[in-house]
Amino acid sequence: MTQILKTGKELDALREKLKKQRESVKQTITICGGTGCHGYGCQKVIDAFRQELASRKLEKEVELRVSGCHGFCERGPLALLAPSGIFYQRIDVADVPAIIEKTVMKGELIDKLLYVLEDGKKAAHEKEVPFYARQNRLVFANNQRINADSIEDYIAVGGYAALPKALAMKPEAVIDEVKKAGLRGRGGGGFPTGRKWETVRKAQPGEKRYVICNADEGDPGAYMDRSLLEGNPHSVIEGMVIGAYAIGANEGYIYVRNEYPLAVKNARIALDKAREMGLIGKNILGSGFDFDIIISRGGGAFVCGESTALMASLEGKIGEPRAKYIHTAEYGLWNKPSCLNNVETWANVPMIINNGSEWYSKIGTATSKGTKIFSVVGKIKNTGLVEVPMGVKLREIIFDMGGGIPNGKKFKAVQTGGPSGGCIPESLLDLPVDFDELTKAGSMMGSGGLIVMDENTCMVDIARYFTEFLSEESCGKCVPCREGVRHMLEILNRICKGEGKAGDVELLEEMSEAITDASLCALGGTAPNPVLSTIRYFRNEYDAHILEKRCPAGACKALINYSVIDKNCTGCTACARVCPTQAAVATDKPAQGAIKGKVNPKLKMHKIIDEKCIRCNMCFEACKYDAVQIK
Amino acid sequence: MSKITITIDGEKVEATAGEMLMDVCRRKGIFIPTLCDHKDLMPYGVCRICIVEWDRGDWSKMITSCNFPVKEGQVFRTNSEKVIRERKMIMEFTLARSSKTPEIIELAKILGVESSRFPTQDEGCILCGMCIRACSEVVEANAIGFAQRGSHRKISSPFYHEATDCIGCGSCSYICPTKYIEMKEDADTRTLPIWNVTFEMAKCKKCGQKIAPKKQIEFLKKRAKNLPEGWFDLCQNCR
């Protein structure tokens, strides 16, 4: 039966008990059960472990934990063994018996499951893997230590310790602590969290007020909020309860995308458990403070990540933003003072209360405190989530943790801050990453998405891609965003098709001014960023498209042709076999290229018929002899 | 509300705290163009043509005057180069959408925009939302709304079917600034083709003149309870 906790002391006693239980387990195997690893089929691995442990009657000695995302999504499915600290990656169902037999029972390593380092050596432990070694995991740390659906695990690792501490403080003192810590909103804007809380606390005295968790993470490639809510929902809930106490709210909402089924499920389980144990609900831990949280599922509109649109959606209206001349902190949800923070922001709060603002404010830069979780995606070796202190250089994230660019390609740019952010070129890679530095470079922190691009990425095409995304996701309420962004897209489409005109770039810049300044919300206000930043740093690519009708990266289909380099073609027929339009065909001429040092003149040299070619790139990818070229 | 002083285009102006900047400007006879503001509706702030520059000392910010509540000491510029330049660009966007709409062409001319550099359309609706807001805020029928998003946004009856809550009052048509919402009447009926609705008209018991759609009269009867018996049976002239 679940214990209902009436005081902080009872909570402490329970924690001690759970800790001892945890310590009594001889070995644990923690499998990453994040959405990414589920994509790799980790559920089958988990089932296999369960079966294997059961058949060997090891269930009591070896605890199997299914945690949230570990962040190293590139190498999933992942397993962490304790106390040995052994780290296995790319695990297959077939590997499970061996892991139990050799590693768990005899302590032997299984070579093929170890991570291979740059120099070819193998890393047996997580801390030897550069991806992990250079991170500073504070918010994300517990993701690996707990069962994603277990409140007991969260309590055992120190969870809900900040709650009684905060409840014993005056609300103003809690706000003061958050202010002194220097915590800034992790959702994009970087607004000082403590100041927001203070405004909400003071607004409309005597009225009801709300706290809201924004889990409507919508930036393509960004999934740190999802991973937090999936893997450690209680840290978010604890942060919200503390925030609610500080501002005097009794009702809270988690607005989460319905496309995040596992996050919805785990948040729901967590709320039910917390309610059962009296950590949310009436008279929390005997403090007299009441607070409960309701989950509201979003319908998938990107714009609903904007605070006023989110609140409109919560109210049951169309998710469209309104002017913020009157702040939501004063008149928000149902016109009541409302404190909206993002998932990661809430998850930072317990840590600040536990360790104090002084400790927290020592991490990071002068104006951006704490750590930030980045999702590193795109043309990068180690796709995944990294948590680093603010101020780390982009180069460290991309090359040291991210492992650099795959397939020996060269780095070209990184898009920070999602679709409304900007592309940052190699010359700025030593930029310390914090809210203000990124803004100065013409981009923004956003929610922490980093999309890495290599030399084959066309920067005009990238700007076109993000502009298309924003044009489609614009709610259409105000003219500059609805009409302006659409016209920008139309111009970019023309440029990519080789129909650009002299003056297009200047027109784009001229339009950007009005769209940036006059749009109703930040979606429109930042929509020109991808275009402006690519013009700023990659103007030469625009000129090549417009003036020379050439795509230097070889990406814009209308501006490229595929052809065969005769001397390299071995006549292997790989291109002809994959070509969906029979554009790649054999000629009458004998092949000139050598297979394993030998030319076989019986094989025919191939060619690509341009009129039939749809530029799908299949032949280029299929050719092993570098005989297909893009010009 | 307390009296405050703000500065508009270098001149000190008296205002009431919380009053919308556009209203202050209008009182002073300062021209602020707008396509979505209406005195009987809540400010909506979507046409963005009413932008002005809010001077913050060492920096400035563009704001829409229709929904900006003024505070003591604020300084605004309604005709700076930046304001004029950005208004023109927004007007070009709107003109590209509604390139054949006389009201839009006229306002564009006033702002110095003769033509748009963007591909043009002939879309009569400028999505100012006045019809929907009048239906909701004034009539309180809530019969129509917006459908789709982004550049696909349109005014619509529910699911493009018959607007079952429409009472045929015609407010949407009267208020439409571009005369896009057509309302047709013959001897016995009123039709609003855009909402797929047709109404039978009530007639004056005395003179036989059309009064209003029967559905509208039923709607009004429920709300106006203190009127004399038979009030709605007669037309305005015979009452």
Side-chain angles (χ1 to χ4, degrees), chain A residues 450-514:
Chain A
L450 296 177
I451 302 174
V452 182
M453 299 157 205
D454 69 8
E455 56 190 295
N456 292 125
T457 314
C458 167
M459 299 315 287
V460 185
D461 185 53
I462 277 294
R464 190 202 62 76
Y465 168 79
F466 285 120
T467 307
E468 185 174 30
F469 176 88
L470 292 164
S471 177
E472 278 175 11
E473 292 296 341
S474 162
C475 77
K477 189 172 173 179
C478 78
V479 171
C481 180
R482 181 186 68 233
E483 306 292 336
V485 176
R486 179 170 69 90
H487 289 304
M488 284 183 100
L489 173 62
E490 189 271 335
I491 294 171
L492 292 165
N493 274 335
R494 265 202 295 109
I495 296 175
C496 288
K497 269 195 260 168
E499 295 161 11
K501 295 184 293 219
D504 275 348
V505 170
E506 290 71 22
L507 180 58
L508 284 170
E509 284 174 329
E510 201 188 326
M511 295 162 79
S512 297
E513 187 199 23

Side-chain angles (χ1 to χ4, degrees), chain B residues 18-31:
Chain B
E19 196 179 1
M20 296 306 156
L21 177 59
M22 183 184 277
D23 297 333
V24 184
C25 290
R26 282 197 176 137
R27 210 169 46 239
K28 294 301 291 179
I30 298 165
F31 172 67

Side-chain angles (χ1 to χ4, degrees), chain A residues 399-415:
Chain A
F399 288 94
D400 298 346
M401 293 165 233
I405 316 299
N407 307 323
K409 295 277 167 67
K410 264 180 25 205
F411 171 89
K412 190 185 228 172
V414 57
Q415 168 92 5

Side-chain angles (χ1 to χ4, degrees), chain A residues 320 323 325 472-480 482-484 486-487 507 510 513 517-520, chain B residues 44-46 48 62-64 67-68 82 85-86 89-90 93-94 97 117-118 121 127 149-151 153:
Chain A
E320 284 171 2
Y325 304 139
E472 278 175 11
E473 292 296 341
S474 162
C475 77
K477 189 172 173 179
C478 78
V479 171
R482 181 186 68 233
E483 306 292 336
R486 179 170 69 90
H487 289 304
L507 180 58
E510 201 188 326
E513 187 199 23
D517 287 346
S519 286
L520 196 160
Chain B
Y44 195 46
V46 301
R48 316 305 285 178
M62 303 305 273
I63 52 127
T64 41
N67 57 0
F68 190 87
K82 196 172 165 69
R85 190 169 64 232
E86 294 191 15
M89 182 56 81
I90 299 164
F93 293 151
T94 300
R97 177 186 171 88
R117 285 168 286 178
F118 310 111
Q121 292 167 292
L127 298 171
R149 70 168 181 232
S151 56
R153 185 179 175 92

Side-chain angles (χ1 to χ4, degrees), chain A residues 178-192:
Chain A
V178 174
K179 266 169 89 175
K180 276 194 280 183
L183 176 63
R184 292 171 71 175
R186 299 298 197 247
F191 191 83

